[in-house]
Amino acid sequence: MSRFFIPREHISENQITVTGEDTVHITKVLRLKKGDTLTCCDGQGFDYEAKIAEVSKATVLCDILRKTKSDTEPNIKVTLIQGIPKASKMDYIIQKTTELGISEIFPCELNRCVAKLDGEKKIERWQKIAKEAAQQSGRGIVPTIRPKINISEAVKVLKSADISFVAYECEEKTVIKTVLNSKSEPKSVAFLVGAEGGFDKSEIDFLIENGIPSVSLGKRILRTETAGEAVLSMIMYEIGDINSI
C-alpha cells in the first residue's frame, strides 16, 4: 500500500488532507482514485489507513479508517554526526541510514573536510531525501537533518546521549561492541564519523579529553559513506531492534 508523510496539522479526528507534491504523486503517478486506500503517517510514529473520499487538482481528501502505532521504529534514538563529505556522498549516507533507522543527522565541519556547507538549500534537499527514504522503507518518522555544527558543538550532542563514541580508524583496543554494551537499556546513541580525510589527531584528543571514547570498526578502513551505515547496522543488531520483531 502506498505510504505518505502528512503534516500533523492536516490530520483531523476523521479526515486527512493531502496537498502539494503528494497530491501530484497520488493522482498523476499512482493514478489513485476515489475509493482507493493508502497509508498516511503523521511523522510522530502513528500510521493511518485511509480511503480517498475526494480528489481535486490541489488536494486529496481521505477518510481515516484506522489509526495504529507504527511498529517499524527502533527502541532507541540514534544520532549520526557526519563529517561533511564531497559530492553526492551525503545523499547516499542520508538515504541508507534512514532506511536502517537513524533518528537525526548533523553535518559536521572537521579540519580535514574538503567540502563546505553554505546556506540552507542543501539542508532542505537532504531533508527531502530523508523523507523519500522514510516513505520507501516504511518508517514511522522522518529523520531530522540538522544545521551544520563544529566539533565543539558535536561534543555537546554526543554527551547528551546515553551512549556515544567516535569511529576512528587508528583505534586498536576498544571495539564498538564494548561501548554498546557499556550501559543497560540505553534510550539513545550518538556517534561521530569523519569525512574522507578522517580526523586530525588533535580532534581525537579533544574528543577523548571530553569523555568521548574512540572505537574500532574492525581491521579494514571503511569509506566515510560506508562507515555510518555499518555502525548503524551494528547498533540495531546489538541493542536497537532487540524487542522490535
Side-chain angles (χ1 to χ4, degrees), residues 101-117:
I102 204 72
S103 299
E104 60 180 353
I105 300 174
F106 286 84
C108 185
E109 195 165 63
L110 300 168
N111 291 340
R112 295 183 181 175
C113 287
V114 175
K116 301 297 180 183
L117 177 57

Side-chain angles (χ1 to χ4, degrees), residues 43-80:
Q44 299 175 20
F46 286 96
D47 294 338
Y48 301 80
E49 183 182 346
K51 179 185 289 188
I52 296 176
E54 295 180 21
V55 177
S56 68
K57 288 185 177 180
T59 62
V60 174
L61 187 64
C62 303
D63 293 329
I64 296 174
L65 303 177
R66 185 175 60 162
K67 175 183 177 181
T68 57
K69 187 169 179 59
S70 174
D71 62 357
T72 59
E73 288 304 304
N75 300 318
I76 55 173
K77 174 186 176 182
V78 185
T79 298
L80 165 61

